[in-house]
């Protein structure tokens, strides 16, 4: 085995930090043995904090209308896809169904849809908050003003997912139209943190023009920002976008990144994403075995599922919420992990807690 890689992985599990060059080296020199070594360490670390518990989040994709034109995304403004928007009653009905299925976290996700003003969105959030006070409300609705984030927080939202997409400003510009700026995105992420949200960032693996150094920069950003969550999935081309002819990202590299990030921040919430499950039928199971500890089954009404296609061949578009929930439960049981129905908070962790794994 590559001894330098082993040395770096051991150092990372001890010190939770590497230099940019060391991360780059690790990503450039992966092979099956190194990936397995790293996954073994990472899943042990995850078990030492979370046992074999896997948190579930119910994902409600409530609008695919978007004012942005990100070059990779199947629901970008210029995409000819058919559009939909759920109203408050539809969204509350999804929550009700989810609650009965045992979900205690709802993730409300949409494109940047101008219809959802602060007033409308706060009204929805506070309704959910009042109806389900024992649930966490996660928003994933893109870039907004700090005032807007503040109002939504006061209405009852307590977590926010806003992937940074790439920590390299030059790479960011290649993935987005000129009107979108890396600095604005980073400012939003900082605003969310300052307000008091649990913040989730993240990136695609294998997005067009991405280099190993870009991924190393993502690792460095995670190290310094210390997000509560990090969503990582492979890039998958969408035929409705300018990136339609670019190859998909690698499942193996995505799994390797999950393991590295678990070692950077042992208690981080790390989803095994739908994109991973789309590229590999056992992708989410492999994600957990590489260090992930969250799954996000789809709670959106089946009638709109196929319209929320950020990328081609997305899985689960024909399955009822209950089916997705139980399918994931079975999948986790098949690798001796258990889906738990609680709010799924990040757990405290301190150095020395490690390796008391079950
Ligand atoms: N492939 C994989 N992930 C994608 N996303 C958007 N488009 C794609 C794609 N083609 C991810 C982005 C975004 C999240 C909601 O979905 O990272 O932040
Ligand atoms: Fe949706 Fe398996 S998770 S069908």
């Amino acid at each position: 085995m590559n001894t330098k890689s082993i040395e770096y992985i051991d150092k990372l599990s001890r010190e939770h930090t590497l230099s940019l060059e060391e991360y780059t080296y690790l990503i450039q020199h992966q092979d099956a043995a190194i990936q397995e070594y790293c996954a073994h360490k990472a899943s042990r670390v995850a078990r030492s904090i979370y046992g074999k518990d896997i948190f579930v989040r119910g994902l409600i994709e409530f609008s695919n209308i978007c004012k942005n034109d990100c070059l990779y995304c199947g629901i970008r403004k210029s995409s000819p896809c058919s559009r939909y928007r759920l109203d408050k009653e539809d969204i509350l009905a999804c929550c009700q169904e989810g609650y009965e299925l045992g979900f205690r976290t709802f993730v409300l996700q949409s494109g940047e849809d101008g219809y959802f003003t602060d007033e409308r969105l706060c009204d929805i959030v506070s309704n959910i908050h009042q109806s389900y006070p024992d649930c966490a409300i996660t928003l994933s609705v893109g870039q907004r003003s700090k005032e807007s984030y503040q109002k939504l927080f006061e209405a009852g939202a307590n977590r926010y997912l806003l992937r940074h997409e790439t920590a390299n400003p030059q790479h960011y510009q290649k993935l987005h139209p000129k009107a979108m700026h890396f600095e604005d995105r980073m400012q939003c992420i900082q605003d969310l943190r300052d307000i008091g949200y649990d913040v989730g960032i993240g990136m695609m693996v294998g997005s067009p023009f991405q280099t190993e150094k870009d991924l190393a920069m993502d690792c460095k950003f995670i190290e310094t920002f210390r997000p509560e969550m990090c969503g990582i999935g492979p890039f998958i081309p969408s035929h409705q976008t300018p990136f339609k002819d670019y190859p998909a990202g690698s499942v193996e590299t995505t799994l390797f990144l999950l393991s590295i990030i678990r070692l950077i921040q042992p208690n981080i919430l790390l989803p095994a994403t739908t994109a991973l499950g789309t590229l590999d039928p056992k992708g989410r199971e492999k994600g957990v075995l590489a260090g992930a500890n969250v799954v996000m089954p789809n709670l959106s009404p089946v009638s709109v599922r196929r319209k929320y296609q950020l990328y081609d061949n997305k899985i689960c578009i024909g399955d009822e919420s209950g089916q997705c929930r139980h399918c994931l439960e079975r999948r986790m049981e098949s690798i001796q992990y258990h889906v738990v129905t609680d709010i799924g908070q990040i757990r405290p962790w301190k150095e020395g807690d490690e390796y008391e794994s079950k």
Side-chain angles (χ1 to χ4, degrees):
M1 271 209 269
N2 181 331
T3 50
K4 202 157 150 187
S5 293
I6 299 283
E7 185 195 313
Y8 289 165
I9 292 167
D10 290 347
K11 179 172 167 195
L12 185 60
S13 26
R14 267 193 329 269
E15 300 175 10
H16 314 293
T17 174
L18 291 178
S19 69
L20 191 65
E21 292 69 33
E22 288 166 334
Y23 283 124
T24 309
Y25 181 93
L26 267 183
I27 298 163
Q28 274 170 345
H29 296 83
Q30 327 161 42
D31 59 32
I34 292 296
Q35 288 157 354
E36 200 184 310
Y37 182 79
C38 197
H40 179 76
K41 290 218 159 208
S43 62
R44 249 174 74 167
V45 168
R47 283 199 300 280
S48 74
I49 301 171
Y50 294 102
K52 290 202 162 188
D53 289 354
I54 299 294
F55 296 151
V56 272
R57 321 301 198 193
L59 180 63
I60 304 171
E61 299 151 334
F62 67 94
S63 166
N64 73 346
I65 297 171
C66 193
K67 69 170 161 55
N68 290 333
D69 229 357
C70 308
L71 279 83
Y72 45 83
C73 181
I75 63 167
R76 67 200 296 265
K77 184 175 67 183
S78 309
S79 165
C81 70
S82 118
R83 303 287 170 173
Y84 74 94
R85 175 188 288 142
L86 301 184
D87 61 21
K88 180 170 135 189
E89 281 63 41
D90 298 329
I91 297 172
L92 283 164
C94 287
C95 293
Q96 163 96 41
E97 189 179 354
Y99 194 86
E100 286 162 10
L101 288 168
F103 292 101
R104 294 298 176 266
T105 296
F106 301 119
V107 181
L108 301 188
Q109 187 171 89
S110 71
E112 293 193 12
D113 180 353
Y115 173 85
F116 290 101
T117 56
D118 293 347
E119 199 183 343
R120 288 198 175 109
L121 203 49
C122 283
D123 179 48
I124 293 169
V125 169
S126 60
N127 260 281
I128 300 174
H129 186 54
Q130 277 154 24
S131 310
Y132 307 100
D134 55 334
C135 292
I137 302 173
T138 305
L139 292 176
S140 176
V141 297
Q143 294 180 210
R144 301 175 77 99
S145 68
K146 186 168 186 189
E147 293 68 40
S148 173
Y149 288 150
Q150 181 72 45
K151 286 182 196 159
L152 291 162
F153 187 75
E154 283 159 19
N158 35 26
R159 301 176 182 160
Y160 205 105
L161 307 182
L162 186 67
R163 290 188 176 183
H164 64 290
E165 310 298 357
T166 170
N168 178 350
Q170 279 95 44
H171 183 221
Y172 186 91
Q173 228 46 72
K174 294 182 186 164
L175 300 179
H176 298 93
K178 282 208 177 59
M180 291 179 74
H181 303 291
F182 177 77
E183 293 71 26
D184 295 342
R185 191 125 188 126
M186 287 298 176
Q187 185 61 52
C188 284
I189 291 172
Q190 189 57 48
D191 289 345
L192 291 162
R193 159 72 48 89
D194 293 343
I195 290 168
Y197 282 95
D198 279 356
V199 179
I201 59 162
M203 68 282 184
M204 295 174 284
V205 173
S207 58
F209 316 112
Q210 185 182 61
T211 64
E212 282 95 352
K213 188 172 169 208
D214 294 333
L215 284 170
M217 289 172 79
D218 291 321
C219 292
K220 226 39 205 169
F221 176 55
I222 292 160
E223 222 185 64
T224 49
F225 184 74
R226 308 197 68 74
E228 279 74 22
M229 300 168 256
C230 185
I232 307 165
F235 162 75
I236 305 176
S238 158
H239 68 282
Q240 318 247 44
T241 67
F243 287 166
K244 61 181 183 327
D245 296 323
Y246 283 86
S250 137
V251 169
E252 286 70 30
T253 305
T254 306
L255 296 170
F256 192 48
L257 261 298
L258 284 172
S259 303
I260 290 175
I261 289 162
R262 172 65 64 201
L263 294 178
I264 294 176
Q265 195 180 318
N267 64 341
I268 196 168
L269 297 165
L270 216 47
T273 55
T274 305
L276 198 50
T278 296
L279 281 193
D280 182 324
K282 288 265 182 311
R284 288 166 296 178
E285 292 88 326
K286 291 180 183 172
V288 168
L289 296 172
N293 69 325
V294 176
V295 289
M296 296 171 63
N298 201 317
L299 263 184
S300 315
V302 175
S303 56
V304 302
R305 293 249 185 122
R306 65 184 62 253
K307 295 185 182 165
Y308 204 87
Q309 292 243 36
L310 306 179
Y311 46 80
D312 293 345
N313 307 316
K314 186 176 166 199
I315 51 170
C316 302
I317 55 175
D319 300 280
E320 292 292 344
S321 305
Q323 283 174 294
C324 272
R325 167 76 175 75
H326 295 115
C327 163
L328 276 170
E329 195 163 280
R330 277 195 308 278
R331 286 175 180 274
M332 294 303 116
E333 293 294 335
S334 77
I335 51 168
Q336 283 84 51
Y337 279 75
H338 322 288
V339 163
V340 293
T341 54
D342 72 27
I343 199 161
Q345 277 293 359
I346 186 165
R347 292 193 184 147
W349 167 84
K350 60 179 185 337
E351 196 66 61
D353 284 355
E354 270 169 73
Y355 307 130
E356 293 153 24
S357 75
K358 298 175 199 169

